[in-house]
Amino acid sequence: MTYQAATISNHLNTLPQLPGWVTSGRAETLEDVAFLSGAALNHLHLVLGRVEVPQALLRDRLALRAAEACMAFSGRPERAGELRDAIHLLRPSDLPGPAGETYLAWRRAVERSVSVKALSRALPTFESCQIATWLDTGKGLPVARAAMVLEAVLTEVPRADVLALILADIALAQALGWGHLMPLLATGLKRADLRKQGDDLRFACHLALISSVVEVVRLSADLARRAAHLKAVAPKLRAKGAGEAVEMFLTRDAVAPSALPLPDRAARRLCDRLVELGAVRELTGRDTFRLYGV
């Protein structure tokens, strides 16, 4: 390991570790599981406050995972690879289809602030006043508020799983004082949980958050390491527009060479160089129509 790599690794080891008792604790009552999820969310709040964590990249990666979970809820087969293709290989005249629309909804939601005005742009098929009404349904502590919003939306629009989960995560983010939503509930809940109500739904949301936080903390540390390495090798890139390209990789789950601010051949060479330096990965395993990500 080089001195620079060792320095990065040691620095990132200072990210706070999730206490083992949070995940090993046996939660049998609503009070127990609420205590554990509160501890998990508090820990996540500390992790998200660290400058080493690439926030926009983390949210975009979680948007992909949330969209994948929503596809599973609806019984559709699309997984991460298909979802990426549905958006990043979309031509101007193409429609994204149901899977692409789901992924786009999550991506738009994580890009914008948690204000109602911003949400109305992320969810254009719903009026801002309706979004505000649903969010106002949530009362009490953060997880209770999120569960109440989830239940309210699904009661009024039973098939709107994506909308309900986005707004529930928005309610959670607002209650926690976060500026952007962090997709947590969709990746932790089970399909059957979406039909629960009252205390049963709150219990399921608490459990979902505990499992999701474990994964998000792990992902945060991984992306922080990868982002630090990309920043470290960036000075070696001589292509004009390389700096802007690096910024794109630091904020997006996946990038097509054609989206980079370079001529086509130069963009492909830059991606190959970054792969060679271990700074990004090729995500598709294909020889053509490739996508790259940190």
Side-chain angles (χ1 to χ4, degrees):
M1 180 182 293
T2 66
Y3 172 78
Q4 185 179 50
T7 300
I8 291 172
S9 178
N10 291 336
H11 185 53
L12 294 175
N13 284 337
T14 63
L15 286 176
Q17 302 295 308
L18 186 68
W21 56 263
V22 173
T23 53
S24 63
R26 188 174 180 180
E28 298 181 350
T29 67
L30 185 57
E31 181 181 17
D32 291 339
V33 75
F35 173 75
L36 294 175
S37 73
L41 287 170
N42 180 69
H43 182 82
L44 178 59
H45 186 81
L46 295 176
V47 170
L48 295 179
R50 300 298 292 263
V51 296
E52 305 97 310
V53 178
Q55 303 283 337
L57 175 58
L58 175 63
R59 292 195 302 270
D60 204 38
R61 184 65 54 84
L62 290 175
L64 174 67
R65 293 188 177 185
E68 189 176 17
C70 289
M71 287 295 97
F73 292 154
S74 64
R76 294 183 62 89
E78 290 90 347
R79 294 297 179 260
E82 290 87 354
L83 290 168
R84 284 177 173 135
D85 285 353
I87 297 305
H88 296 290
L89 302 183
L90 194 68
R91 293 175 298 186
S93 59
D94 291 342
L95 296 175
E101 289 289 358
T102 295
Y103 186 19
L104 276 174
W106 278 105
R107 291 194 76 202
R108 287 193 296 257
V110 300
E111 287 171 356
R112 291 166 170 80
S113 69
V114 293
S115 69
V116 171
K117 182 178 180 180
L119 285 174
S120 64
R121 294 194 295 270
L123 303 167
T125 56
F126 296 92
E127 297 290 336
S128 58
C129 58
Q130 180 62 79
I131 292 173
T133 298
W134 277 322
L135 289 174
D136 286 343
T137 304
K139 307 295 181 185
L141 295 176
V143 182
R145 288 175 62 177
M148 290 174 73
V149 171
L150 182 61
E151 183 176 344
V153 177
L154 290 176
T155 298
E156 191 168 340
V157 194
R159 295 183 180 276
D161 294 354
V162 177
L163 171 68
L165 288 162
I166 288 176
L167 291 184
D169 272 326
I170 289 289
L172 182 68
Q174 288 177 334
L176 293 170
W178 294 346
H180 292 79
L181 83 81
M182 190 67 58
L184 296 173
L185 287 168
T187 56
L189 289 169
K190 299 178 176 61
R191 185 177 184 178
D193 292 332
L194 300 182
R195 307 301 166 233
K196 294 178 179 178
Q197 296 180 324
D199 285 349
D200 289 340
L201 180 58
R202 284 195 288 277
F203 193 96
C205 286
H206 283 298
L207 281 180
L209 288 169
I210 295 169
S211 63
S212 290
V213 166
V214 172
E215 292 304 313
V216 174
V217 169
R218 184 179 297 122
L219 180 60
S220 296
D222 181 55
L223 291 180
R225 272 191 301 274
R226 293 177 182 276
H229 181 57
L230 175 56
K231 291 176 183 177
V233 304
K236 299 179 181 180
L237 307 173
R238 295 184 176 85
K240 185 178 181 180
E244 188 177 345
V246 167
E247 287 303 313
M248 291 176 67
F249 282 114
L250 289 171
T251 57
R252 303 185 187 184
D253 162 71
V255 178
S258 59
L260 295 174
L262 292 90
D264 186 56
R265 291 183 62 184
R268 292 199 302 270
R269 285 198 299 269
L270 176 64
C271 290
D272 289 342
R273 177 62 172 153
L274 288 170
V275 170
E276 179 184 321
L277 292 169
V280 303
R281 298 168 295 158
E282 201 288 310
L283 301 172
T284 69
R286 297 187 296 245
D287 293 330
T288 58
F289 301 106
R290 289 180 161 186
L291 298 173
Y292 298 83
V294 170

